[in-house]
Every structure is written in C-alpha cells, then in structure tokens.
Amino acid sequence: MVAIALGSIAATLAAADGGTTAQKGNALEQVVADTLCLFDGVGVLFTNAVDVDTSCEIDILLYNQRHPAGLPFLPDNILIECKNWGSPVNTATLRAFTSKLRQFKLDFGIVVASNGITGDQTDRTAGHAHLRREFDQVGLKTLVLNRQELEGLTSTDELGLMLRKKFGAFIMGLPSF
C-alpha cells in the first residue's frame, strides 16, 4: 500500500481551477497518471499522444504488468480519457472514447470525468446507456471515475478496491461503475 496524502489531489486540482481549459485538463491528467502509477507494475507509456493519422489524440496510455500488488485484474494496456469539465461528460464524448478503444483494439478504458457522465446509472440513460450498450454488443468495458472519488483517496489500497468494485459492478450490469 502506498499512502496518498489526504487533500493532495484536491489541492492540485484546485490550483488549476482558475486556469485555462488546457491547464485544468493537464492538472487532472497529471493527478490521474501520478496516482495510478503508484501501483506496482503500472507506468505511463504515452500522454497527449496523437496517432499516426493525426485523427485521434489520447490523454494517457498506461502499461500494466499485472503485478499482484498492483492491478492484476486489469489488462496490459489502459487507455484513459480525462475531462475536467464543469458539467457531466456527454454521450458524444463517450462515443468518441469507445471509438478510440475499438481503433486501438482495446477492450478496457477509464474515463475520468470531474462531474461524472450524463444520464442515470440505474435507468441506463444517456452516457450510461451508451457504455452499457458497448459492453453488451462488443464487450468494451469502461469505468468512470469522478473528481470527488479521486479527492477522497488516501491510499492505493482504497483506489484498488474502488476500481475492483467498479469493474465488478460494470461487468455484472450493476450501477456504480
């Protein structure tokens, strides 16, 4: 277990809140990459990378060596999209993200959306409906983390448990993914 100083994530994000859209986004990306890389066997492959066609940009691509003390239940490559928006992320943006997963032949990704995604988890509407459909149709698994969840973390154990629960809830079709 690696401790995360309570309030450190919140302080980093708050420092960027008054900045430009790019500064807000960069702060969230840095927090996410730094926090996930606290796990054994997890590291950054690319940040803000553009594909060879220059048709698509990714925020973060992590490698995951599936270390027993790391994230062994997640795949070798983890694509992450960060949206430090004042409102929930809409379905069109989620469609663009799942399109990236398909393009890179990945079946798992994480959307870190400061204010969550649109719709209702239980009723599976809007953004929630899209992510569920993608799983039901082609097996794409997408977890969603929000700012409040990140800011409350005090250890990698907490984050690992949260990711495990979200992963399980997602594949079982339960709310809270």
Side-chain angles (χ1 to χ4, degrees), residues 61-78:
L61 180 63
L62 300 178
Y63 67 83
N64 178 25
Q65 295 175 322
R66 299 186 187 203
H67 191 281
L71 299 171
F73 60 98
L74 296 181
D76 296 342
N77 294 292
I78 303 171

mmCIF file of all heavy atoms in Angstrom, residues 61-78:
data_model
loop_
_atom_site.group_PDB
_atom_site.id
_atom_site.type_symbol
_atom_site.label_atom_id
_atom_site.label_comp_id
_atom_site.label_asym_id
_atom_site.label_seq_id
_atom_site.Cartn_x
_atom_site.Cartn_y
_atom_site.Cartn_z
ATOM 1 N N LEU A 61 -1.970 6.650 -21.868
ATOM 2 C CA LEU A 61 -1.926 5.209 -22.083
ATOM 3 C C LEU A 61 -0.937 4.662 -21.066
ATOM 4 O O LEU A 61 0.234 5.035 -21.060
ATOM 5 C CB LEU A 61 -1.483 4.842 -23.504
ATOM 6 C CG LEU A 61 -1.411 3.336 -23.780
ATOM 7 C CD1 LEU A 61 -2.794 2.682 -23.652
ATOM 8 C CD2 LEU A 61 -0.816 3.064 -25.155
ATOM 9 N N LEU A 62 -1.450 3.798 -20.196
ATOM 10 C CA LEU A 62 -0.614 3.166 -19.172
ATOM 11 C C LEU A 62 -0.292 1.736 -19.577
ATOM 12 O O LEU A 62 -1.077 1.085 -20.267
ATOM 13 C CB LEU A 62 -1.351 3.108 -17.824
ATOM 14 C CG LEU A 62 -1.783 4.419 -17.182
ATOM 15 C CD1 LEU A 62 -2.535 4.133 -15.883
ATOM 16 C CD2 LEU A 62 -0.593 5.326 -16.933
ATOM 17 N N TYR A 63 0.866 1.264 -19.114
ATOM 18 C CA TYR A 63 1.124 -0.175 -19.188
ATOM 19 C C TYR A 63 0.820 -0.741 -17.816
ATOM 20 O O TYR A 63 0.929 -0.058 -16.794
ATOM 21 C CB TYR A 63 2.554 -0.496 -19.630
ATOM 22 C CG TYR A 63 3.635 -0.094 -18.653
ATOM 23 C CD1 TYR A 63 3.983 -0.903 -17.570
ATOM 24 C CD2 TYR A 63 4.337 1.098 -18.819
ATOM 25 C CE1 TYR A 63 4.984 -0.537 -16.681
ATOM 26 C CE2 TYR A 63 5.335 1.473 -17.944
ATOM 27 C CZ TYR A 63 5.653 0.652 -16.875
ATOM 28 O OH TYR A 63 6.640 1.019 -15.994
ATOM 29 N N ASN A 64 0.408 -1.987 -17.803
ATOM 30 C CA ASN A 64 0.069 -2.661 -16.558
ATOM 31 C C ASN A 64 0.690 -4.054 -16.604
ATOM 32 O O ASN A 64 0.282 -4.889 -17.402
ATOM 33 C CB ASN A 64 -1.451 -2.758 -16.399
ATOM 34 C CG ASN A 64 -1.857 -3.489 -15.140
ATOM 35 O OD1 ASN A 64 -1.119 -3.539 -14.169
ATOM 36 N ND2 ASN A 64 -3.054 -4.052 -15.153
ATOM 37 N N GLN A 65 1.684 -4.277 -15.755
ATOM 38 C CA GLN A 65 2.363 -5.568 -15.736
ATOM 39 C C GLN A 65 1.633 -6.604 -14.885
ATOM 40 O O GLN A 65 2.141 -7.700 -14.684
ATOM 41 C CB GLN A 65 3.800 -5.377 -15.234
ATOM 42 C CG GLN A 65 4.619 -4.526 -16.182
ATOM 43 C CD GLN A 65 6.003 -4.219 -15.642
ATOM 44 O OE1 GLN A 65 6.181 -3.992 -14.445
ATOM 45 N NE2 GLN A 65 6.970 -4.199 -16.537
ATOM 46 N N ARG A 66 0.463 -6.227 -14.403
ATOM 47 C CA ARG A 66 -0.386 -7.131 -13.614
ATOM 48 C C ARG A 66 0.328 -7.689 -12.392
ATOM 49 O O ARG A 66 0.186 -8.868 -12.048
ATOM 50 C CB ARG A 66 -0.942 -8.238 -14.482
ATOM 51 C CG ARG A 66 -1.816 -7.714 -15.605
ATOM 52 C CD ARG A 66 -2.462 -8.833 -16.363
ATOM 53 N NE ARG A 66 -3.164 -8.321 -17.522
ATOM 54 C CZ ARG A 66 -4.158 -8.958 -18.105
ATOM 55 N NH1 ARG A 66 -4.555 -10.105 -17.646
ATOM 56 N NH2 ARG A 66 -4.742 -8.429 -19.161
ATOM 57 N N HIS A 67 1.087 -6.839 -11.746
ATOM 58 C CA HIS A 67 1.777 -7.214 -10.510
ATOM 59 C C HIS A 67 0.729 -7.563 -9.455
ATOM 60 O O HIS A 67 -0.288 -6.893 -9.349
ATOM 61 C CB HIS A 67 2.649 -6.038 -10.047
ATOM 62 C CG HIS A 67 3.579 -6.375 -8.957
ATOM 63 N ND1 HIS A 67 3.195 -6.476 -7.643
ATOM 64 C CD2 HIS A 67 4.904 -6.641 -8.967
ATOM 65 C CE1 HIS A 67 4.217 -6.780 -6.888
ATOM 66 N NE2 HIS A 67 5.280 -6.890 -7.671
ATOM 67 N N PRO A 68 0.971 -8.613 -8.654
ATOM 68 C CA PRO A 68 -0.009 -8.991 -7.626
ATOM 69 C C PRO A 68 -0.363 -7.847 -6.662
ATOM 70 O O PRO A 68 -1.488 -7.777 -6.184
ATOM 71 C CB PRO A 68 0.671 -10.142 -6.875
ATOM 72 C CG PRO A 68 1.638 -10.696 -7.854
ATOM 73 C CD PRO A 68 2.097 -9.547 -8.704
ATOM 74 N N ALA A 69 0.589 -6.954 -6.417
ATOM 75 C CA ALA A 69 0.316 -5.822 -5.531
ATOM 76 C C ALA A 69 -0.141 -4.594 -6.316
ATOM 77 O O ALA A 69 -0.283 -3.510 -5.757
ATOM 78 C CB ALA A 69 1.557 -5.475 -4.714
ATOM 79 N N GLY A 70 -0.379 -4.785 -7.611
ATOM 80 C CA GLY A 70 -0.792 -3.672 -8.466
ATOM 81 C C GLY A 70 -2.239 -3.802 -8.875
ATOM 82 O O GLY A 70 -3.142 -3.843 -8.043
ATOM 83 N N LEU A 71 -2.437 -3.922 -10.176
ATOM 84 C CA LEU A 71 -3.786 -4.028 -10.743
ATOM 85 C C LEU A 71 -3.873 -5.286 -11.609
ATOM 86 O O LEU A 71 -4.062 -5.218 -12.826
ATOM 87 C CB LEU A 71 -4.104 -2.781 -11.577
ATOM 88 C CG LEU A 71 -4.099 -1.457 -10.817
ATOM 89 C CD1 LEU A 71 -4.198 -0.273 -11.769
ATOM 90 C CD2 LEU A 71 -5.218 -1.423 -9.784
ATOM 91 N N PRO A 72 -3.734 -6.478 -10.989
ATOM 92 C CA PRO A 72 -3.674 -7.714 -11.782
ATOM 93 C C PRO A 72 -4.962 -8.055 -12.516
ATOM 94 O O PRO A 72 -4.935 -8.843 -13.455
ATOM 95 C CB PRO A 72 -3.343 -8.782 -10.730
ATOM 96 C CG PRO A 72 -3.870 -8.224 -9.453
ATOM 97 C CD PRO A 72 -3.655 -6.731 -9.553
ATOM 98 N N PHE A 73 -6.072 -7.469 -12.128
ATOM 99 C CA PHE A 73 -7.360 -7.772 -12.746
ATOM 100 C C PHE A 73 -7.634 -6.911 -13.984
ATOM 101 O O PHE A 73 -8.614 -7.131 -14.687
ATOM 102 C CB PHE A 73 -8.499 -7.588 -11.735
ATOM 103 C CG PHE A 73 -8.603 -6.194 -11.183
ATOM 104 C CD1 PHE A 73 -9.518 -5.298 -11.707
ATOM 105 C CD2 PHE A 73 -7.775 -5.780 -10.148
ATOM 106 C CE1 PHE A 73 -9.613 -4.016 -11.211
ATOM 107 C CE2 PHE A 73 -7.864 -4.497 -9.642
ATOM 108 C CZ PHE A 73 -8.781 -3.610 -10.181
ATOM 109 N N LEU A 74 -6.763 -5.942 -14.246
ATOM 110 C CA LEU A 74 -6.926 -5.075 -15.412
ATOM 111 C C LEU A 74 -5.961 -5.495 -16.519
ATOM 112 O O LEU A 74 -4.935 -6.102 -16.252
ATOM 113 C CB LEU A 74 -6.705 -3.609 -15.028
ATOM 114 C CG LEU A 74 -7.721 -3.028 -14.046
ATOM 115 C CD1 LEU A 74 -7.415 -1.566 -13.747
ATOM 116 C CD2 LEU A 74 -9.148 -3.186 -14.567
ATOM 117 N N PRO A 75 -6.269 -5.137 -17.774
ATOM 118 C CA PRO A 75 -5.435 -5.577 -18.906
ATOM 119 C C PRO A 75 -4.064 -4.902 -18.954
ATOM 120 O O PRO A 75 -3.781 -3.976 -18.181
ATOM 121 C CB PRO A 75 -6.274 -5.213 -20.126
ATOM 122 C CG PRO A 75 -7.184 -4.145 -19.670
ATOM 123 C CD PRO A 75 -7.432 -4.377 -18.212
ATOM 124 N N ASP A 76 -3.247 -5.349 -19.887
ATOM 125 C CA ASP A 76 -1.868 -4.865 -20.025
ATOM 126 C C ASP A 76 -1.773 -3.399 -20.426
ATOM 127 O O ASP A 76 -0.794 -2.736 -20.113
ATOM 128 C CB ASP A 76 -1.121 -5.690 -21.083
ATOM 129 C CG ASP A 76 -0.970 -7.147 -20.681
ATOM 130 O OD1 ASP A 76 -1.121 -7.466 -19.483
ATOM 131 O OD2 ASP A 76 -0.702 -7.965 -21.573
ATOM 132 N N ASN A 77 -2.751 -2.900 -21.161
ATOM 133 C CA ASN A 77 -2.768 -1.501 -21.603
ATOM 134 C C ASN A 77 -4.068 -0.863 -21.150
ATOM 135 O O ASN A 77 -5.144 -1.426 -21.362
ATOM 136 C CB ASN A 77 -2.643 -1.404 -23.123
ATOM 137 C CG ASN A 77 -1.295 -1.899 -23.584
ATOM 138 O OD1 ASN A 77 -0.278 -1.275 -23.319
ATOM 139 N ND2 ASN A 77 -1.273 -3.037 -24.258
ATOM 140 N N ILE A 78 -3.944 0.318 -20.552
ATOM 141 C CA ILE A 78 -5.112 1.023 -20.027
ATOM 142 C C ILE A 78 -5.172 2.407 -20.655
ATOM 143 O O ILE A 78 -4.306 3.251 -20.411
ATOM 144 C CB ILE A 78 -5.041 1.132 -18.483
ATOM 145 C CG1 ILE A 78 -4.929 -0.257 -17.848
ATOM 146 C CG2 ILE A 78 -6.259 1.897 -17.956
ATOM 147 C CD1 ILE A 78 -4.630 -0.241 -16.352
#
